[in-house]
Amino acid sequence: MRTTVGIIGGGPSGLLLARLLHNAGIDSVVLESRDRSYVEQRQRAGILEQATVDVLRSAGAGARLDREGLVHDGIELRYDGRAHRVDFPSLADGRRVWVYAQTEVVKDLIALQLAEGGPLFFGAEVQAVDGADTERPVIRYTHDGREQTLTCDYVVGCDGFHGVARNAVPEHVRTTYERTYPYSWLGILAEAPPVHDELIYAHSERGFALASMRSPQVSRLYLQVPNGTDPADWSDERIWDELDARFALDADPEWRLKRGPVTAKSVLPMRSSVTEPMRYGRVFLAGDAAHIVPPTGAKGLNLAAADVIVLARAFEHLRSTGSTEQLDTYSDTCLRRVWRAEHFSYFMTTTLHTDPEQSGFDTRLQLSQLDRIATSPHAAAELAENYTGLPLA
Ligand code: APR
Ligand code: PHB
């Protein structure tokens, strides 16, 4: 088999890239190792930046998002027993964010790809890419129990943090910058109405907590827990009690979350990682295959979308002008945005979490920073601009 762009991985990056290329009349094949229902059920974050929503809409993938997505114009920060709202449109040039889960984005893109797009194979596990620095890179994969090959003009590795495409960049060319954090998140889904109509990010000496949502009936809640925590050690009641303690407000001692049946419970590690460059020869890396962020800034999916937007434009530019200029600058263009998001995610994470080694001095610095955001429009604008996402060039 052969194609113009061979895409490894059918997560948000691979699926959105395939859709953008299809709309531009460029053919592609997507190879995804898992089955469709696994990919559609995998629980991930749920905040879409304005630019991500704009591109989903213009790609014809925004209909359900426009019906079911929840528009948010701010977030609440809770710290020191107080609540402070950060307003986005007034601080970030009119931009807002949407609550629409990654699972739903993936379902919409899969349905479109199967109905209108090029081939999307599930259960197709890629082993390696050969000839990254030749004119005809070849993807080797197993499908239907047989070893197969896909010969491409270009290959894009959208295969996530544990993917294989990164290995096509020789070790002497590749550098990975990493940071791990001394805590994880325990995340739950609950059949309980969100307690507030915006997200609440809470700093507390007991640890970080986040109240998010999936719909007006379903809450998504997170608690900072030690690394290595077994979710089985956290009964539903213990989770709710701990969430209430971390969100406590001095001015409203009766404030409580709305409780309901917990339908999913899992522990997520927190890690930052960037691999440079994001291109070698005719192989490009996009999304989690090239970089991951801790979820505190809600940037993972949006960064993935930004990469493939830049890449799809570069392929269109190549087709209409014959110039590889935009493909040649792909890595540098994306890495500027990636490092901004890495910094913001690191900032949100370290400002809001309690490091087990943290001193009273460190806690007071965190509270001072949060207070600065609450009292200075400049400091609040810095958060709002980063959270809603810098506009794409
Ligand atoms: N062969 C084929 N497919 C593979 C292989 C392989 N060897 N290895 C991984 N995959 C598939 C995975 O099964 C997964 O469906 O690649 C896909 C990668 O998807 P994601 O991990 O979701 O990465 P990406 O599409 O870049 O999306 C980034 O996901 O992790 C979140 O927070 C992150 O929201 C962000 C988004
Ligand atoms: C989520 O809803 O899953 C979510 C929201 C905001 C974050 C992280 C996760 O920062």
Side-chain angles (χ1 to χ4, degrees):
M1 201 172 35
R2 63 155 292 119
T3 187
T4 306
V5 182
I7 301 175
I8 308 173
S13 315
L15 293 166
L16 181 57
L17 178 63
R19 178 69 188 169
L20 296 174
L21 293 177
H22 168 78
N23 289 350
I26 299 169
D27 39 270
S28 71
V29 172
V30 182
L31 303 173
E32 165 57 50
S33 58
R34 302 289 190 155
D35 64 31
R36 180 177 178 178
S37 75
Y38 180 91
V39 175
E40 291 187 340
Q41 303 307 320
R42 194 165 38 197
Q43 281 303 322
R44 295 278 173 79
I47 297 287
L48 306 185
E49 293 174 2
Q50 181 85 56
T52 306
V53 169
D54 292 345
V55 78
L56 287 170
R57 284 177 175 157
S58 67
R64 199 158 67 91
L65 160 65
D66 278 325
R67 283 198 309 276
E68 298 175 17
L70 308 170
V71 181
H72 282 200
D73 279 344
I75 56 169
E76 185 176 300
L77 295 175
R78 271 193 198 184
Y79 60 98
D80 206 18
R82 290 180 282 150
H84 175 78
R85 178 171 186 269
V86 178
D87 184 73
F88 294 152
S90 65
L91 293 162
D93 205 19
R95 297 199 297 276
R96 33 201 355 210
V97 297
W98 275 252
V99 173
Y100 189 66
Q102 181 168 316
T103 45
E104 307 313 301
V105 174
V106 164
K107 284 180 204 162
D108 295 346
L109 289 170
I110 288 176
L112 278 172
Q113 185 70 12
L114 294 176
E116 305 170 3
L120 159 57
F121 296 114
F122 292 101
E125 172 146 17
V126 172
Q127 273 83 47
V129 182
D130 296 331
D133 54 353
T134 68
E135 303 239 305
R136 292 282 175 277
V138 175
I139 304 177
R140 281 192 282 118
Y141 65 102
T142 315
H143 191 223
D144 290 335
R146 284 191 303 124
E147 291 197 1
Q148 316 209 19
T149 57
L150 175 63
T151 304
C152 314
D153 290 348
Y154 293 93
V155 172
V156 185
C158 294
D159 48 350
F161 186 59
H162 301 289
V164 297
R166 217 181 300 126
N167 300 333
V169 185
E171 265 180 45
H172 69 275
V173 176
R174 175 170 29 124
T175 308
T176 298
Y177 301 93
E178 270 191 302
R179 187 189 171 92
T180 54
Y181 298 83
Y183 32 73
S184 303
W185 279 11
L186 174 67
I188 63 162
L189 272 174
E191 283 169 24
V195 66
H196 186 57
D197 53 8
E198 292 180 337
L199 270 58
I200 310 175
Y201 287 81
H203 174 282
S204 129
E205 291 201 14
R206 305 175 70 97
F208 171 74
L210 169 61
S212 180
M213 63 195 72
R214 288 291 173 265
S215 72
Q217 296 80 35
V218 176
S219 294
R220 176 81 171 147
L221 297 144
Y222 298 98
L223 276 178
Q224 175 187 339
V225 290
N227 286 342
T229 293
D230 180 353
D233 291 341
W234 283 80
S235 67
D236 296 359
E237 198 188 355
R238 181 174 173 209
I239 294 173
W240 290 114
D241 288 347
E242 187 62 28
L243 285 164
D244 279 335
R246 295 188 191 183
F247 286 116
L249 286 174
D250 290 347
D252 185 2
E254 301 305 309
W255 193 96
R256 296 282 183 279
L257 289 161
K258 294 176 188 158
R259 299 189 179 193
V262 174
T263 56
K265 203 184 283 186
S266 60
V267 170
L268 302 69
M270 310 277 281
R271 204 189 270 121
S272 304
S273 172
V274 180
T275 295
E276 297 187 7
M278 288 169 61
R279 178 240 178 127
Y280 177 74
R282 287 184 172 234
V283 176
F284 295 80
L285 302 176
D288 277 19
H291 41 73
I292 52 172
V293 286
T296 329
K299 286 283 155 257
L301 175 58
N302 297 294
L303 272 186
D307 289 349
V308 300
I309 293 165
V310 173
L311 196 50
R313 282 186 194 156
F315 282 125
E316 280 186 72
H317 187 72
L318 170 67
R319 209 215 13 212
S320 59
T321 66
S323 161
T324 60
E325 175 195 5
Q326 293 191 8
L327 288 174
D328 296 339
T329 53
Y330 167 77
S331 180
D332 289 345
T333 303
C334 290
L335 283 168
R336 269 198 301 278
R337 188 183 188 84
V338 166
W339 279 112
R340 178 86 302 280
E342 288 288 348
H343 181 269
F344 177 64
S345 305
Y346 164 87
F347 165 79
M348 289 289 280
T349 302
T350 54
T351 303
L352 289 163
H353 289 71
T354 306
D355 189 311
E357 312 268 289
Q358 180 161 325
S359 67
F361 181 89
D362 300 326
T363 304
R364 277 159 185 75
L365 289 184
Q366 290 177 322
L367 293 173
S368 168
Q369 181 59 33
L370 290 164
D371 209 40
R372 174 81 185 145
I373 293 166
T375 52
S376 156
H378 301 289
E382 179 61 13
L383 189 158
E385 285 187 12
N386 280 284
Y387 195 97
T388 57
L390 304 172
L392 283 164

